[in-house]
Amino acid sequence: MQKIQKIKGTQDILPPESEKWQFVENTIRDIMHRYGYHEIRTPIFEETALFARGIGQLTDIVSKEMYTFEDRGKKSLTLKPEGTAPVMRAVIEHSLTVARPVNKLYYISPFFRQENPQSGRFRQFHQFGAEIIGSPMPEADVETILLGLDIYRALGLSSFVLKINSVGDAESRVNYKNVLKEWLKPHFDALCRTCQERYEQNPLRILDCKETECRRITAGAPKMIDNLTPAAEEHFRAVLRMLEENDVAFEIDHRLVRGLDYYTYTAYEFIGSSLGAQNALGGGGRYDLLAQELGGKPTPSVGFAAGIERLLMALEAENLLPETALRPDMYIATPGAEGRMQAYKLAQELRAQGIRVETDLLGRSLKAQMREANRNGARLVAIAGESELQAGKVVLKNLENGEQQDVPLAQLGEIVRKMLAPIDSQTATVRAENRDS
Ligand code: HAM
């Protein structure tokens, strides 16, 4: 029979790769908690209208990339392509701003976009993201940036730059669109087909077109930040001042407009230097009008999201991932069928004490079990033969230095814990993080 394979653009995250994900996710959660963000989990699919209205009908995401389908009730549903619109939908639906004027929420979740798969670009990908819902202050914009930077810093990543721009408020945008269109008019015929289509509907996107000729043309275009209303300009200056105060290096990028329509005021991206064409590690900005767009009250908000696959690629490229593969502390080997039941009970007792214990599930010979213990990276092996068990003891062998000793069953857990303590303090840290999160 023909084998069924995974869908193009999706990935199976197998062990020990999955343990790298856990390591990164634990770090993300730890830093999110330090900043006082609480986790929000929204459904994998939503009503299609949420994204059409939230992200913008004319964006690439909505017009070309969404996984949209009708359910049996003929309702149009979409697998979530991003997290901000769902978070805002949930905030409005549950009136979260009534209980707290400012909600700081984070998520780690899969998202779905039908893009052409390539290195760093998938159809199911994962983001971690944070949103501050309900604050108009420039401090909130800066906090989301500092949070993103701290997560990268905690993982040791430094090979990236922060690019920032202001896309203004609604009024600045209307003004700027006219200025830009006027300026582009004499160059219209030289623009690529896509940009010619963007000219009427979404001229700002012409600024971030990757075509050489379009880039050449727009290099001299008027800048958004020279066309801001006084309020938008004041906000942008305050954000930049705070970044400087906090010693954050940034580049103002006049072409940075982002691929989602909900942005107002600040827009920013973290651009990785060790990645290829798909070098955006993460991006975000302010979206003061989204709540109203979704039927809520005015709720100024700001946030960012960052790709986990790209983060792992960047960490891998710089050799920044520690050895994370989970190893058993101990393997219980049973030479004969008779001791088996007792050995499994012993394993349960030790597991209850927090020790990672593996046993043989294939009825193998003692030699094969010892090989398996080594292959799995077990630190210790307890050989539980029938006669030893009857005498109330096991032979405990340290696989790292070959030493072995007889240990009374009553003291096994205590002795094992003592032996493990100094072996690997790093594992203990990772373990503590796993436990705490
Ligand atoms: P975005 O720029 O569309 O923003 O996505 C954020 C990040 O997700 C990108 O920088 C990239 O690292 C990753 N990403 C996006 N598409 C893919 C893909 N096909 N394959 C792999 N990684 C991908 C947003 O989604 C906004 N919701 C961010 C935000 C939050 N703005 C305000 N709050």
Side-chain angles (χ1 to χ4, degrees):
M1 205 144 19
Q2 208 181 358
K3 287 186 191 145
I4 297 172
Q5 299 202 315
K6 64 181 161 53
I7 302 293
K8 188 174 158 192
T10 67
Q11 294 190 96
D12 296 311
I13 303 163
L14 308 173
E17 182 68 18
S18 51
E19 276 132 35
K20 295 182 183 161
W21 281 72
Q22 288 171 356
F23 168 75
V24 166
E25 287 164 4
N26 288 341
T27 306
I28 293 167
R29 287 179 193 283
D30 178 33
I31 308 287
M32 292 286 187
H33 297 162
R34 271 191 227 176
Y35 275 75
Y37 287 70
H38 296 268
E39 186 178 17
I40 180 167
R41 301 188 188 197
T42 63
I44 289 292
F45 53 87
E46 295 269 2
E47 245 183 73
T48 302
L50 171 65
F51 302 112
R53 266 160 60 185
I55 304 174
Q57 201 66 261
L58 298 167
T59 57
D60 285 352
I61 296 178
V62 173
S63 64
K64 298 193 265 203
E65 297 167 0
M66 295 207 304
Y67 280 99
T68 296
F69 58 98
E70 265 188 6
D71 72 359
R72 286 171 202 272
K74 300 264 178 260
K75 202 177 185 76
S76 180
L77 303 178
T78 293
L79 300 185
K80 57 181 174 183
E82 65 97 47
T84 311
V87 166
M88 189 57 95
R89 193 243 341 114
V91 166
I92 297 168
E93 189 165 335
H94 302 283
S95 307
L96 295 190
T97 51
V98 175
R100 285 169 191 246
V102 177
N103 284 270
K104 304 210 297 185
L105 302 166
Y106 81 89
Y107 46 87
I108 300 177
S109 167
F111 293 97
F112 306 86
R113 296 183 193 175
Q114 194 161 2
E115 300 192 74
N116 274 339
Q118 52 172 271
S119 172
R121 193 202 266 164
F122 304 93
R123 290 182 167 176
Q124 172 170 343
F125 59 98
H126 299 76
Q127 287 180 347
F128 62 95
E131 317 285 356
I132 303 183
I133 311 284
S135 169
M137 309 274 289
E139 282 81 348
D141 307 38
V142 174
E143 182 179 296
T144 63
I145 294 174
L146 295 175
L147 169 62
L149 291 175
D150 263 355
I151 289 172
Y152 290 142
R153 205 172 291 149
L155 291 163
L157 193 71
S158 54
S159 57
F160 64 90
V161 290
L162 165 66
K163 296 197 171 181
I164 191 163
N165 194 17
S166 174
V167 294
D169 49 18
E171 190 187 331
S172 330
R173 273 250 275 284
V174 173
N175 292 341
Y176 179 60
K177 270 186 193 166
N178 290 333
V179 171
L180 185 64
K181 277 171 70 181
E182 205 50 44
W183 190 88
L184 283 170
K185 209 182 247 169
H187 305 283
F188 183 87
D189 293 338
L191 293 172
C192 74
R193 279 265 303 277
T194 321
C195 283
Q196 289 185 349
E197 283 165 21
R198 287 170 175 154
Y199 182 83
E200 276 309 326
Q201 311 270 22
N202 207 357
L204 263 61
R205 287 306 309 273
I206 298 176
L207 293 174
D208 78 347
C209 178
K210 302 284 177 290
E211 295 289 328
T212 322
E213 186 55 15
C214 294
R215 290 193 77 77
R216 198 189 60 74
I217 293 169
T218 54
K223 295 170 182 154
M224 182 83 212
I225 61 167
D226 294 331
N227 289 274
L228 296 176
T229 58
E233 181 165 356
E234 175 52 33
H235 187 93
F236 191 49
R237 296 279 155 229
V239 168
L240 299 187
R241 230 179 4 252
M242 262 194 86
L243 288 175
E244 281 162 3
E245 286 289 325
N246 283 281
D247 295 323
V248 174
F250 59 84
E251 285 172 24
I252 297 178
D253 182 348
H254 302 291
R255 294 170 183 273
L256 199 158
V257 295
R258 310 269 304 128
L260 305 97
D261 280 354
Y262 50 58
Y263 291 107
T264 49
Y265 294 86
T266 319
Y268 62 87
E269 279 181 352
F270 301 114
I271 304 293
S273 345
S274 59
L275 301 170
Q278 301 306 314
N279 60 358
L281 275 172
R286 185 162 273 289
Y287 48 94
D288 287 354
L289 306 175
L290 179 62
Q292 286 147 279
E293 202 64 56
L294 300 178
K297 296 199 184 72
T299 312
S301 301
V302 58
F304 79 96
I308 300 185
E309 287 82 358
R310 292 184 195 178
L311 170 57
L312 280 161
M313 283 169 69
L315 293 172
E316 204 88 70
E318 291 185 53
N319 242 334
L320 288 168
L321 284 170
E323 186 53 62
T324 50
L326 285 178
R327 296 168 61 176
D329 296 322
M330 182 171 179
Y331 191 98
I332 300 187
T334 44
E338 297 77 15
R340 229 165 248 289
M341 191 60 83
Q342 232 181 312
Y344 291 145
K345 277 180 73 178
L346 182 59
Q348 285 306 99
E349 278 166 31
L350 295 170
R351 286 168 181 154
Q353 295 177 44
I355 299 166
R356 293 178 180 167
V357 186
E358 280 189 21
T359 57
D360 169 54
L361 292 174
L362 284 174
R364 283 171 286 202
S365 68
L366 181 62
K367 210 167 135 197
Q369 290 181 51
M370 295 299 280
R371 253 203 316 270
E372 172 80 355
N374 270 303
R375 187 169 44 227
N376 292 353
R379 302 201 149 94
L380 305 168
V381 175
I383 302 164
E386 198 187 4
S387 55
E388 282 101 358
L389 288 172
Q390 260 166 18
K393 59 179 190 179
V394 290
V395 178
L396 187 63
K397 184 168 180 188
N398 183 334
L399 289 182
E400 279 165 8
N401 60 19
E403 283 170 14
Q404 65 180 57
Q405 54 179 313
D406 283 0
V407 175
L409 285 176
Q411 289 162 30
L412 185 60
E414 194 189 322
I415 290 177
V416 166
R417 282 205 307 277
K418 269 202 195 121
M419 286 173 82
L420 291 170
I423 287 180
D424 194 342
S425 58
Q426 202 197 348
T427 322
T429 317
V430 171
R431 223 186 273 192
E433 279 168 4
N434 278 334
R435 193 193 51 227
D436 295 343
S437 58

